[in-house]
Amino acid sequence: MFKADRFSDEQISLIKEKIDGKAIIACSGGVDSMVAAVLASKAIGDRLLAIYVDTGMMRKGETDEVRGMLQDLGVNFRIVDASQEYFDALAGVTEPEQKRKIIGEKFIRVFEREAKGFGAKYLVQGTIAPDWIESGDGVRDTIKSHHNVGGLPKDMGMELCEPLRDLYKDEVREVARYLGIKSSERQPFPGPGLAVRCLGEITPENIEIVREACFIVEDEIQKAVAAGKMEMPWQYFAALLPSKSVGVQGDRRAYGRTIVVRAVSSFDAMTAEFSRIPLDVLDKISRRITNTMKDQVNRVVYDITNKPPATIEWE
Ligand code: XMP
């Protein structure tokens, strides 16, 4: 049986032993990086600097939320706005693996800059087992280059410390609860952020559409769960398709974008089943999305594929 208290004590000791100087961690606010940051902060105090990179691909209100959490947990942190850099690097790129590589690479470069400024010798990461298994370890095929593995160049110049490498998501959540991290029940959010939910070209305008749609999906599903209409899915969000389809607005022809609603139940993200969302909840989501973004979106579809054969995210 997995014991969160024993795991935490062991890792704090191991980090203390390993890290003899300053360390830096990328903190996205997700449960993985938050747990890694708190363990490292408990081990080495202010010799750890948590960096939150605002990539421009974050969810609505996310940056403020993360700022509050890091403050409450007493972690030494800095917020870096790199959104323009990301949009510039991604301009015109549509191929999913290329996007992931660019995002991973940029992330490390922004980091290196911050790390140099701080004098960090170590890089702490919240990598968990499915991240490196699915990124291909020489034995398995690469399904997706996960942000924290695939984009990592060899010349990074910092030593790695990955305290959660052997854990699965449910175990990380247990550790989070043990450490008193409020985000422990938050749904997972991928490292590359909304970029993997924006098919085709990534522009500030496209990201804004998918950000608003994700917010609506989250809000409506949380309301439906609170009203006892459905069980909380493991993950639930929206994705934006690159193609347009014909619709009608008033008595005029419209030609707009499609939003995909995705909600799945899963145990460890390795497999997943699409959630049976009640139709009236889907109806509400669809109406709210098309009403809020009348000029951009004229179609909403629900993804009814399991993993496998699909993955949870669309890219
Ligand atoms: P997929 O889409 O591969 O996702 O079925 C499995 C789980 O991993 C999340 N995900 C990521 N997490 N970096 C991460 O830290 C990534 O690059 C990444 N890509 C996907 C996804 O949201 C799901 O929970």
Side-chain angles (χ1 to χ4, degrees), residues 68 71 175 187 285:
Q71 262 160 2
V175 180
Q187 62 163 324
I285 291 173

Side-chain angles (χ1 to χ4, degrees), residues 100 131 134 144-148 188-192 197 234-235 269 307 311-313:
R100 279 181 172 268
D131 297 341
E134 294 203 349
K144 292 178 188 182
S145 309
H146 273 215
H147 185 303
N148 26 19
F189 188 59
R197 299 177 179 173
W234 194 76
Q235 205 168 357
K307 173 184 180 177
T311 51
I312 297 175
E313 303 287 350

